[in-house]
């Protein structure tokens, strides 16, 4: 299974080491992400589940949280609930409409394995990804525990890249795991 996965490992600076407030850093990062893109983030974003909740101190610098609250909430109906997890099942099948192969960052404004996303919806999207296997999908989560529980029963393909984000100053997450335990959970999925 690990052959078909690509691990993204992100480290972050502590807020104390930044020359400006962490929120300003998040806004700057969000602005750069949307203005210029990030090379690893692919050709398209597919956000069928938007919003998230914090799982640890590293989430304080999350670009999504800052960007949604400052720029999207009130301006885009898909973000009317702010950072609260909101599902948009109408976009799940969009990859089936795209003929040209794309590198797709899945739920860049949320977390596929968030506990508020129903397991049947995750399974449905995996079916879509496998049907539209001419695309490459990047999925990134901080919820490695749920990934480890669901992963073995999901239909992985070499075109589905799974990653976990790991912070460098987060002693334990909500599940009581060390950040590096997320990497072990990714390997088990």
């Amino acid at each position: 299974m690990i052959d078909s996965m690509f691990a993204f490992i992100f480290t972050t600076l502590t807020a104390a080491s930044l020359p400006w407030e962490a929120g300003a850093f998040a806004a700057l990062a969000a602005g750069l992400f949307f203005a210029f893109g990030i090379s690893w983030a692919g050709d398209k974003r597919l956000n069928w589940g938007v919003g998230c909740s914090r799982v640890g101190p590293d989430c304080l610098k999350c670009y999504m949280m800052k960007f949604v609250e400052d720029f999207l909430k009130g301006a885009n109906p898909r973000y009317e609930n702010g950072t609260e997890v909101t599902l948009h099942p109408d976009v799940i099948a969009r990859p089936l409409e795209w003929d040209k192969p794309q590198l797709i960052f899945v739920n860049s404004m949320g977390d596929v394995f968030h506990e508020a996303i129903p397991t049947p919806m995750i399974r449905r999207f995996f079916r879509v990804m496998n049907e539209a296997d001419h695309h490459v999908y990047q999925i990134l989560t901080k919820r490695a525990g749920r990934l480890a529980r669901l992963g073995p029963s999901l239909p992985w393909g070499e075109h589905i890249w799974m990653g976990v984000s790991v912070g460098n100053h987060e002693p334990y997450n909500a599940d009581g795991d060390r950040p590096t335990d997320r990497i072990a959970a990714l390997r088990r999925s």
Side-chain angles (χ1 to χ4, degrees):
M1 174 69 72
I2 193 69
D3 320 355
S4 65
M5 294 185 281
F6 179 81
F8 299 102
I9 301 172
F10 294 92
T11 57
T12 56
L13 299 171
T14 61
S17 68
L18 294 174
W20 55 83
E21 186 216 343
F25 177 75
L28 173 65
L32 292 174
F33 177 83
F34 288 96
F36 302 107
I38 296 176
S39 61
W40 58 261
D43 306 313
K44 289 197 180 284
R45 282 43 140 206
L46 184 68
N47 288 298
W48 53 265
V50 299
C52 202
S53 55
R54 291 182 163 88
V55 295
D58 289 324
C59 293
L60 295 174
K61 295 185 286 284
C62 175
Y63 73 86
M64 185 281 301
M65 295 284 190
K66 186 73 175 160
F67 197 73
V68 167
E69 289 300 324
D70 290 354
F71 301 105
L72 295 178
K73 187 176 178 181
N76 182 328
R78 294 215 182 255
Y79 297 92
E80 67 186 24
N81 296 326
T83 59
E84 181 182 325
V85 174
T86 305
L87 304 176
H88 301 290
D90 59 302
V91 301
I92 282 183
R94 282 195 183 154
L96 298 171
E97 301 167 7
W98 301 330
D99 293 328
K100 178 184 171 200
Q102 305 283 337
L103 179 56
I104 302 169
F105 187 9
V106 179
N107 287 2
S108 65
M109 300 297 281
D111 190 328
V112 170
F113 291 94
H114 192 283
E115 54 277 2
I117 296 186
T119 300
M121 186 170 241
I122 295 170
R123 292 186 190 288
R124 178 179 167 206
F125 186 65
F126 268 78
R127 286 192 302 273
V128 168
M129 288 190 294
N130 280 288
E131 190 175 336
D133 63 358
H134 58 289
H135 302 305
V136 174
Y137 302 87
Q138 295 176 324
I139 304 171
L140 182 62
T141 187
K142 275 200 172 189
R143 289 161 174 84
R146 188 166 187 213
L147 167 64
R149 290 188 299 277
L150 287 178
S153 68
L154 295 172
W156 296 95
E158 290 186 12
H159 65 290
I160 301 171
W161 298 352
M162 187 65 235
V164 295
S165 57
V166 178
N168 67 355
H169 71 281
E170 176 181 2
Y172 295 96
N173 66 13
D175 294 332
D177 299 324
R178 294 181 319 243
T180 53
D181 290 342
R182 292 180 187 158
I183 297 168
L186 172 65
R187 289 183 176 130
R188 289 192 305 270
S189 67

